[in-house]
Amino acid sequence: MADGAEKVTEESSYNTAPLSLKTSKADVITAAGDDNLKEIFHQIRTSKNPTVINYGASWCRVCSQILPSFSRLSSKFPKLSFVYADIDECPETTQHIRYTPTFHFYRDGERVDEMFGAGEDRLHDRLWLHS
């Protein structure tokens, strides 16, 4: 398991934004549920905007620590769309997530990378790579 990752074993933010993945200023879009996250996936596939999804949970200490950094980094990488999905709010579409936090990186509508755990420097480097 990566440094700072927590195994998902428990059950159980930011404001929910309209579906548009690209906003006029730095923003983190929050998936409001399974249907909303499915719409976000559709938007990722059709818009082809580079996107990073942060899968976390409210009970995850490491997720709570990296979330403010994730939001702050969204202003440093304006070409990327930033999405947060709480695994307890989107149980159907996040059932494949085994560790929190998990970051998925999308380019041209396809997932191209994955990162487990936290660490602002690690996340910054990965975002730089995909921006």
Coordinates of all heavy atoms in Angstrom, one line a residue, residues 3-74:
D3 N 2.3 5.1 0.7 CA 2.4 5.9 1.8 C 1.1 6.7 1.9 O 0.7 7.4 1.0 CB 3.6 6.9 1.8 CG 4.9 6.1 2.0 OD1 4.8 5.0 2.6 OD2 5.9 6.7 1.6
G4 N 0.5 6.8 3.1 CA -0.6 7.6 3.3 C -1.9 7.1 2.8 O -2.9 7.8 2.8
A5 N -2.0 5.9 2.2 CA -3.2 5.3 1.7 C -3.9 4.5 2.8 O -3.2 3.9 3.7 CB -3.0 4.4 0.5
E6 N -5.2 4.6 2.9 CA -6.0 3.8 3.9 C -6.8 2.8 3.1 O -7.5 3.1 2.1 CB -6.9 4.7 4.7 CG -6.1 5.6 5.6 CD -7.0 6.4 6.5 OE1 -8.1 6.1 6.7 OE2 -6.5 7.4 7.1
K7 N -6.8 1.6 3.6 CA -7.6 0.5 3.0 C -9.1 0.8 3.3 O -9.4 1.3 4.4 CB -7.3 -0.8 3.6 CG -8.1 -2.0 3.1 CD -7.3 -2.9 2.3 CE -8.0 -4.1 1.9 NZ -8.3 -4.3 0.5
V8 N -10.0 0.7 2.3 CA -11.4 1.0 2.5 C -12.0 -0.2 3.2 O -12.1 -1.2 2.6 CB -12.0 1.3 1.1 CG1 -13.5 1.5 1.3 CG2 -11.4 2.5 0.5
T9 N -12.4 0.0 4.4 CA -13.1 -1.0 5.2 C -14.3 -0.6 5.9 O -15.0 -1.4 6.4 CB -12.1 -1.7 6.2 OG1 -11.6 -0.6 7.1 CG2 -10.9 -2.3 5.5
E10 N -14.5 0.7 6.0 CA -15.6 1.3 6.8 C -16.7 1.8 5.9 O -16.5 2.0 4.7 CB -15.1 2.5 7.7 CG -14.1 2.1 8.7 CD -13.7 3.2 9.5 OE1 -14.5 4.1 9.8 OE2 -12.5 3.3 10.0
E11 N -17.9 2.0 6.5 CA -19.0 2.6 5.8 C -19.1 4.1 6.2 O -18.9 4.4 7.3 CB -20.3 1.8 6.0 CG -20.2 0.4 5.7 CD -21.2 0.0 4.7 OE1 -22.1 0.8 4.3 OE2 -21.1 -1.1 4.3
S12 N -19.8 4.5 5.6 CA -20.1 5.8 6.2 C -21.5 6.0 6.2 O -22.3 5.1 6.2 CB -19.4 6.8 5.4 OG -20.1 7.8 4.8
S13 N -16.7 19.0 2.6 CA -16.5 18.9 1.1 C -16.8 20.2 0.4 O -17.2 21.2 1.0 CB -17.4 17.8 0.7 OG -17.3 17.3 -0.5
Y14 N -16.8 19.6 -0.5 CA -16.9 20.9 -1.2 C -18.3 20.9 -1.8 O -19.0 19.9 -1.9 CB -15.8 21.0 -2.3 CG -14.5 21.2 -1.7 CD1 -13.6 20.1 -1.5 CD2 -14.1 22.4 -1.2 CE1 -12.4 20.2 -1.0 CE2 -12.8 22.6 -0.7 CZ -12.0 21.5 -0.5 OH -10.8 21.6 0.0
N15 N -18.7 22.2 -2.2 CA -20.0 22.3 -2.8 C -20.2 21.6 -4.1 O -19.2 21.5 -4.9 CB -20.5 23.8 -2.9 CG -19.4 24.7 -3.4 OD1 -18.2 24.5 -3.0 ND2 -19.7 25.6 -4.2
T16 N -21.3 21.1 -4.4 CA -21.6 20.4 -5.6 C -21.8 21.4 -6.7 O -22.6 22.3 -6.6 CB -22.9 19.6 -5.5 OG1 -22.7 18.7 -4.4 CG2 -23.2 18.8 -6.8
A17 N -21.0 21.3 -7.8 CA -21.0 22.2 -8.9 C -21.9 21.7 -10.0 O -22.1 20.5 -10.1 CB -19.6 22.5 -9.4
P18 N -22.3 22.6 -10.9 CA -22.9 22.1 -12.1 C -22.0 21.2 -12.9 O -20.8 21.1 -12.6 CB -23.2 23.4 -12.9 CG -23.1 24.5 -12.0 CD -22.2 24.0 -10.9
L19 N -22.5 20.5 -13.8 CA -21.8 19.4 -14.5 C -20.6 19.9 -15.3 O -19.6 19.1 -15.4 CB -22.7 18.6 -15.4 CG -22.1 17.4 -16.0 CD1 -21.6 16.5 -15.0 CD2 -23.1 16.7 -16.9
S20 N -20.5 21.1 -15.7 CA -19.4 21.5 -16.5 C -18.1 21.2 -15.8 O -17.9 21.6 -14.7 CB -19.5 23.0 -16.8 OG -18.3 23.5 -17.4
L21 N -17.2 20.5 -16.5 CA -15.9 20.2 -15.9 C -14.9 21.3 -15.9 O -14.0 21.3 -15.1 CB -15.3 19.0 -16.7 CG -16.0 17.7 -16.5 CD1 -15.3 16.6 -17.2 CD2 -16.0 17.3 -15.0
K22 N -15.0 22.2 -16.7 CA -14.1 23.4 -16.7 C -14.8 24.6 -16.2 O -15.9 25.0 -16.7 CB -13.6 23.6 -18.1 CG -12.2 24.2 -18.1 CD -11.2 23.3 -17.4 CE -10.0 24.1 -17.0 NZ -9.3 23.5 -15.9
T23 N -14.3 25.2 -15.2 CA -14.9 26.4 -14.6 C -14.0 27.6 -14.9 O -12.9 27.4 -15.3 CB -15.1 26.2 -13.1 OG1 -13.8 25.9 -12.5 CG2 -16.0 25.1 -12.8
S24 N -14.5 28.8 -14.7 CA -13.8 30.0 -15.0 C -12.6 30.2 -14.1 O -11.7 30.9 -14.5 CB -14.8 31.2 -15.0 OG -15.3 31.3 -13.7
K25 N -12.7 29.7 -12.9 CA -11.5 29.9 -12.0 C -11.3 28.5 -11.3 O -12.1 27.6 -11.5 CB -11.8 31.0 -11.0 CG -13.0 30.8 -10.1 CD -13.2 32.0 -9.2 CE -14.4 31.8 -8.4 NZ -14.6 32.9 -7.5
A26 N -10.2 28.4 -10.6 CA -9.9 27.2 -9.9 C -11.0 26.7 -9.1 O -11.6 27.5 -8.3 CB -8.7 27.4 -9.0
D27 N -11.4 25.5 -9.2 CA -12.5 24.9 -8.6 C -12.4 23.4 -8.4 O -11.7 22.8 -9.3 CB -13.8 25.2 -9.4 CG -14.8 25.9 -8.7 OD1 -14.7 26.1 -7.4 OD2 -15.8 26.3 -9.3
V28 N -13.0 22.8 -7.5 CA -13.1 21.4 -7.3 C -14.6 21.0 -7.5 O -15.4 21.5 -6.7 CB -12.5 20.9 -6.0 CG1 -12.8 19.4 -5.9 CG2 -11.1 21.2 -5.9
I29 N -14.9 20.2 -8.4 CA -16.3 19.7 -8.6 C -16.5 18.5 -7.7 O -15.7 17.6 -7.6 CB -16.5 19.3 -10.1 CG1 -16.3 20.5 -11.0 CG2 -17.9 18.7 -10.3 CD1 -16.0 20.1 -12.4
T30 N -17.6 18.5 -7.0 CA -17.9 17.4 -6.1 C -19.0 16.6 -6.6 O -20.1 17.2 -7.0 CB -18.3 17.9 -4.7 OG1 -17.2 18.7 -4.2 CG2 -18.6 16.8 -3.7
A31 N -18.8 15.3 -6.8 CA -19.9 14.4 -7.2 C -20.9 14.3 -6.1 O -20.6 13.9 -5.0 CB -19.3 13.1 -7.6
A32 N -22.2 14.5 -6.5 CA -23.2 14.5 -5.5 C -23.9 13.2 -5.3 O -24.8 13.0 -4.4 CB -24.3 15.5 -5.8
G33 N -23.5 12.2 -6.0 CA -24.0 10.8 -5.9 C -23.7 10.0 -7.2 O -23.0 10.5 -8.0
D34 N -24.1 8.8 -7.2 CA -23.8 7.9 -8.3 C -24.2 8.5 -9.7 O -23.4 8.4 -10.6 CB -24.4 6.5 -8.1 CG -23.6 5.7 -7.1 OD1 -22.4 5.6 -7.2 OD2 -24.3 5.1 -6.2
D35 N -25.4 9.0 -9.8 CA -25.9 9.5 -11.0 C -25.0 10.7 -11.5 O -24.7 10.8 -12.7 CB -27.4 9.9 -11.0 CG -28.3 8.7 -10.9 OD1 -27.9 7.6 -11.2 OD2 -29.4 8.9 -10.4
N36 N -24.7 11.6 -10.6 CA -23.9 12.7 -10.9 C -22.5 12.3 -11.3 O -21.9 12.8 -12.3 CB -23.8 13.7 -9.7 CG -23.1 15.0 -10.0 OD1 -22.2 15.3 -9.2 ND2 -23.4 15.7 -11.0
L37 N -21.9 11.3 -10.6 CA -20.6 10.8 -11.0 C -20.6 10.2 -12.4 O -19.7 10.3 -13.2 CB -20.0 9.9 -9.9 CG -18.5 9.4 -10.1 CD1 -17.6 10.6 -10.3 CD2 -18.1 8.6 -9.0
K38 N -21.7 9.5 -12.7 CA -21.8 8.9 -14.0 C -21.8 10.0 -15.1 O -21.2 9.9 -16.2 CB -23.1 8.0 -14.1 CG -22.9 6.7 -13.4 CD -24.3 5.9 -13.4 CE -24.2 4.7 -12.5 NZ -25.5 4.0 -12.5
E39 N -22.5 11.1 -14.8 CA -22.6 12.2 -15.7 C -21.2 12.8 -15.9 O -20.8 13.2 -17.0 CB -23.6 13.3 -15.2 CG -25.0 12.9 -15.3 CD -25.9 13.9 -14.6 OE1 -25.5 15.1 -14.6 OE2 -27.0 13.5 -14.1
I40 N -20.5 12.9 -14.8 CA -19.1 13.4 -14.8 C -18.2 12.5 -15.7 O -17.4 13.0 -16.5 CB -18.5 13.6 -13.4 CG1 -19.2 14.8 -12.7 CG2 -17.0 13.9 -13.5 CD1 -18.9 14.9 -11.2
F41 N -18.3 11.2 -15.6 CA -17.6 10.3 -16.4 C -17.9 10.5 -17.9 O -17.0 10.5 -18.7 CB -17.8 8.8 -16.0 CG -17.1 8.4 -14.8 CD1 -17.8 7.7 -13.8 CD2 -15.8 8.7 -14.5 CE1 -17.2 7.2 -12.7 CE2 -15.1 8.3 -13.4 CZ -15.8 7.5 -12.5
H42 N -19.2 10.7 -18.2 CA -19.6 10.9 -19.5 C -19.0 12.2 -20.1 O -18.5 12.2 -21.2 CB -21.2 11.0 -19.6 CG -21.7 11.3 -21.0 ND1 -21.7 10.4 -22.0 CD2 -22.2 12.5 -21.5 CE1 -22.1 11.0 -23.1 NE2 -22.5 12.2 -22.8
Q43 N -19.0 13.2 -19.2 CA -18.4 14.5 -19.6 C -16.9 14.4 -19.9 O -16.4 14.9 -20.8 CB -18.7 15.6 -18.5 CG -18.3 16.9 -18.9 CD -19.3 17.6 -19.9 OE1 -20.3 17.1 -20.2 NE2 -18.9 18.7 -20.4
I44 N -16.2 13.6 -19.1 CA -14.8 13.3 -19.3 C -14.6 12.7 -20.6 O -13.7 13.1 -21.4 CB -14.2 12.5 -18.1 CG1 -14.2 13.3 -16.8 CG2 -12.8 12.0 -18.5 CD1 -13.9 12.4 -15.6
R45 N -15.4 11.7 -20.9 CA -15.2 10.9 -22.2 C -15.5 11.8 -23.4 O -14.8 11.7 -24.4 CB -16.1 9.7 -22.2 CG -15.6 8.6 -21.4 CD -16.4 7.3 -21.6 NE -17.8 7.4 -21.4 CZ -18.4 7.3 -20.2 NH1 -17.6 7.0 -19.1 NH2 -19.7 7.4 -20.0
T46 N -16.5 12.7 -23.3 CA -16.9 13.5 -24.5 C -16.1 14.8 -24.6 O -15.9 15.2 -25.7 CB -18.4 13.7 -24.5 OG1 -18.7 14.4 -23.3 CG2 -19.2 12.5 -24.6
S47 N -15.8 15.4 -23.5 CA -15.1 16.7 -23.6 C -13.6 16.5 -23.8 O -12.9 17.4 -24.4 CB -15.3 17.5 -22.3 OG -14.5 17.0 -21.3
K48 N -13.0 15.4 -23.4 CA -11.6 15.1 -23.6 C -10.7 16.1 -22.8 O -9.5 16.1 -23.0 CB -11.2 15.1 -25.0 CG -12.1 14.2 -25.9 CD -11.4 13.1 -26.5 CE -12.4 12.3 -27.3 NZ -12.1 11.0 -27.5
N49 N -11.3 16.8 -21.8 CA -10.5 17.7 -21.0 C -9.7 16.8 -20.0 O -10.2 15.8 -19.5 CB -11.4 18.6 -20.1 CG -11.9 19.8 -20.8 OD1 -11.5 20.1 -21.9 ND2 -13.0 20.3 -20.2
P50 N -8.4 17.1 -19.8 CA -7.6 16.4 -18.8 C -8.3 16.6 -17.5 O -8.6 17.7 -17.1 CB -6.2 17.0 -18.9 CG -6.3 18.2 -19.8 CD -7.6 18.2 -20.5
T51 N -8.4 15.5 -16.7 CA -9.2 15.6 -15.5 C -8.5 14.7 -14.4 O -7.9 13.6 -14.8 CB -10.6 15.0 -15.7 OG1 -11.3 15.9 -16.7 CG2 -11.4 15.1 -14.4
V52 N -8.6 15.1 -13.2 CA -8.1 14.3 -12.1 C -9.3 14.1 -11.1 O -10.0 15.0 -10.8 CB -6.9 14.8 -11.3 CG1 -7.1 16.2 -10.8 CG2 -6.4 13.9 -10.2
I53 N -9.5 12.8 -10.7 CA -10.6 12.6 -9.7 C -9.9 12.1 -8.4 O -9.1 11.2 -8.5 CB -11.6 11.5 -10.2 CG1 -12.3 11.9 -11.5 CG2 -12.6 11.2 -9.1 CD1 -13.2 10.9 -12.1
N54 N -10.3 12.7 -7.4 CA -9.8 12.4 -6.0 C -10.9 11.6 -5.4 O -12.0 12.1 -5.1 CB -9.5 13.6 -5.2 CG -9.2 13.4 -3.8 OD1 -9.1 12.3 -3.3 ND2 -8.9 14.5 -3.1
Y55 N -10.7 10.3 -5.1 CA -11.7 9.4 -4.4 C -11.3 9.4 -3.0 O -10.2 9.0 -2.6 CB -11.7 8.0 -5.0 CG -12.1 7.9 -6.4 CD1 -11.2 7.8 -7.4 CD2 -13.5 7.8 -6.7 CE1 -11.6 7.7 -8.8 CE2 -13.9 7.7 -8.0 CZ -13.0 7.7 -9.0 OH -13.4 7.6 -10.3
G56 N -12.2 9.8 -2.1 CA -11.9 9.9 -0.7 C -13.1 9.5 0.1 O -14.1 9.0 -0.4
A57 N -13.0 9.7 1.4 CA -14.1 9.4 2.3 C -14.1 10.4 3.5 O -13.0 10.8 4.0 CB -14.1 8.0 2.8
S58 N -15.2 10.7 4.1 CA -15.3 11.7 5.2 C -14.6 11.1 6.4 O -14.0 11.9 7.2 CB -16.7 12.0 5.5 OG -17.5 10.9 5.8
W59 N -14.6 9.8 6.6 CA -14.0 9.2 7.8 C -12.5 8.9 7.6 O -11.8 8.5 8.6 CB -14.7 7.9 8.1 CG -14.9 7.0 6.9 CD1 -16.0 6.8 6.2 CD2 -13.9 6.1 6.3 NE1 -15.8 6.0 5.2 CE2 -14.6 5.5 5.2 CE3 -12.6 5.8 6.6 CZ2 -13.9 4.6 4.4 CZ3 -11.9 4.9 5.8 CH2 -12.6 4.3 4.7
C60 N -11.9 9.2 6.4 CA -10.5 8.9 6.1 C -9.7 10.2 6.5 O -9.8 11.2 6.0 CB -10.4 8.7 4.6 SG -8.7 8.6 4.1
R61 N -8.8 10.0 7.5 CA -8.0 11.1 8.1 C -7.0 11.6 7.0 O -6.9 12.8 6.8 CB -7.1 10.5 9.2 CG -6.2 11.6 9.9 CD -5.4 11.0 11.0 NE -4.7 9.7 10.6 CZ -3.5 9.7 9.9 NH1 -3.0 10.8 9.5 NH2 -2.9 8.6 9.5
V62 N -6.4 10.7 6.2 CA -5.5 11.1 5.2 C -6.2 11.9 4.1 O -5.7 12.9 3.6 CB -4.7 9.9 4.6 CG1 -3.8 10.3 3.4 CG2 -4.0 9.2 5.7
C63 N -7.4 11.5 3.7 CA -8.2 12.2 2.7 C -8.5 13.6 3.2 O -8.4 14.5 2.4 CB -9.5 11.4 2.5 SG -9.4 9.8 1.9
S64 N -8.9 13.7 4.5 CA -9.2 15.1 5.0 C -7.9 16.0 5.0 O -8.1 17.2 4.8 CB -9.7 14.9 6.4 OG -10.9 14.2 6.5
Q65 N -6.8 15.4 5.1 CA -5.5 16.2 5.1 C -5.2 16.6 3.7 O -4.6 17.7 3.6 CB -4.4 15.4 5.8 CG -4.6 15.1 7.2 CD -3.5 14.2 7.8 OE1 -2.9 13.4 7.1 NE2 -3.4 14.2 9.1
I66 N -5.4 15.8 2.7 CA -4.9 16.1 1.4 C -6.0 17.0 0.6 O -5.7 17.7 -0.3 CB -4.6 14.9 0.5 CG1 -3.8 15.2 -0.7 CG2 -5.8 14.1 0.1 CD1 -2.4 15.8 -0.5
L67 N -7.2 17.0 1.0 CA -8.3 17.7 0.3 C -8.0 19.2 0.2 O -8.2 19.7 -0.9 CB -9.7 17.4 0.9 CG -10.9 17.7 0.1 CD1 -10.8 17.0 -1.3 CD2 -12.1 17.2 0.8
P68 N -7.6 19.9 1.2 CA -7.3 21.3 1.1 C -6.2 21.5 0.0 O -6.2 22.5 -0.7 CB -6.9 21.8 2.5 CG -7.5 20.8 3.4 CD -7.5 19.5 2.6
S69 N -5.2 20.7 0.1 CA -4.1 20.8 -0.9 C -4.6 20.5 -2.3 O -4.2 21.2 -3.3 CB -3.0 19.8 -0.6 OG -2.4 20.1 0.7
F70 N -5.4 19.5 -2.5 CA -6.0 19.2 -3.8 C -6.8 20.5 -4.3 O -6.6 20.8 -5.5 CB -7.0 18.0 -3.6 CG -7.6 17.5 -4.9 CD1 -6.9 16.9 -5.8 CD2 -9.0 17.7 -5.1 CE1 -7.5 16.4 -7.0 CE2 -9.6 17.2 -6.2 CZ -8.8 16.6 -7.2
S71 N -7.5 21.1 -3.5 CA -8.2 22.3 -3.9 C -7.3 23.4 -4.2 O -7.4 24.1 -5.2 CB -9.2 22.8 -2.7 OG -9.9 23.9 -3.1
R72 N -6.3 23.6 -3.4 CA -5.3 24.7 -3.7 C -4.5 24.4 -5.0 O -4.3 25.3 -5.8 CB -4.3 24.7 -2.5 CG -3.9 26.0 -2.0 CD -3.0 26.1 -0.8 NE -2.3 24.9 -0.3 CZ -2.8 24.2 0.7 NH1 -3.9 24.5 1.3 NH2 -2.2 23.1 1.1
L73 N -4.2 23.2 -5.2 CA -3.5 22.8 -6.5 C -4.3 23.0 -7.7 O -3.8 23.2 -8.8 CB -3.0 21.4 -6.4 CG -1.8 21.2 -5.4 CD1 -1.6 19.7 -5.2 CD2 -0.5 21.8 -5.9
S74 N -5.6 23.0 -7.5 CA -6.5 23.3 -8.7 C -6.2 24.6 -9.3 O -6.4 24.8 -10.5 CB -8.0 23.1 -8.3 OG -8.4 24.1 -7.5

